Amino acid sequence: MIKIGELSKVTGCSVQTIRHYEKEQLIASAERSEGNFRLYDEVAVEQLLFIKHCRSLDLSLPEIRQLLGLSRSPGAQCGDVNRMMDRHIEQVEARIQELTKLNEQLRMLRRSCSNRRTVEQCGILRNLSATPVSSV
């Protein structure tokens, strides 16, 4: 059993994040020591590393909660997991398209000015003032 500070070091999750995940019931509530310190076991380490990996893939807490729930039914078919991942891939692809459009707009703005101009002559500031850039 380890205290929350050690769990934080082992997993790379901040103490605040660990408390938040516990509050969100993504990890089991910690046992308490006689001194009322939170104590965690190896299962908590594994759960936090799983959650951290999911977060690195930009999965939301509800998606992670769903995956954790599904992982408790090892004999079930993984169709639900695949469908959730397919939805997430679609969301990521939509965001990539939005960011590509944003990148193009920013590059267009940047091309509207050179370093030899004064702020008064700045094409970027003029374009930002004259025409709103369409939202992403």
Side-chain angles (χ1 to χ4, degrees):
M1 300 296 277
I2 58 176
K3 293 181 184 177
I4 196 167
E6 183 64 23
L7 181 63
S8 174
K9 288 178 190 169
V10 169
T11 61
C13 294
S14 72
V15 169
Q16 293 83 4
T17 298
I18 294 168
R19 287 184 182 140
H20 177 70
Y21 291 159
E22 191 174 339
K23 179 182 170 199
E24 292 290 322
Q25 299 176 339
L26 293 173
I27 61 171
S29 294
E31 293 181 28
R32 295 287 182 155
S33 69
E34 289 181 22
N36 205 28
F37 291 106
R38 286 180 164 99
L39 297 174
Y40 298 90
D41 58 11
E42 186 62 32
V43 172
V45 173
E46 291 170 9
Q47 287 175 327
L48 276 172
L49 292 174
F50 177 85
I51 294 166
K52 186 177 178 183
H53 190 189
C54 289
R55 292 297 295 143
S56 76
L57 297 171
D58 203 32
L59 292 168
S60 68
L61 294 185
E63 288 170 325
I64 295 168
R65 184 174 289 106
Q66 181 182 1
L67 287 174
L68 287 168
L70 290 167
S71 70
R72 292 185 197 104
S73 302
Q77 297 293 312
C78 60
D80 289 341
V81 176
N82 291 329
R83 280 186 288 281
M84 189 199 70
M85 197 57 58
D86 289 340
R87 283 191 307 273
H88 190 68
I89 290 168
E90 289 171 7
Q91 292 168 352
V92 168
E93 288 172 347
R95 284 191 3 231
I96 289 170
Q97 289 176 351
E98 291 169 355
L99 289 171
T100 299
K101 265 177 78 175
L102 174 61
N103 186 27
E104 291 167 3
Q105 292 171 343
L106 290 170
R107 288 183 180 280
M108 185 179 69
L109 269 174
R110 177 58 186 94
R111 285 190 299 270
S112 70
C113 193
S114 71
N115 290 335
R116 293 188 269 283
R117 294 183 179 179
T118 65
V119 169
E120 183 179 13
Q121 301 166 327
C122 180
I124 295 170
L125 294 175
R126 284 185 182 174
N127 282 321
L128 289 173
S129 297
T131 355
V133 178
S134 64
S135 63
V136 187

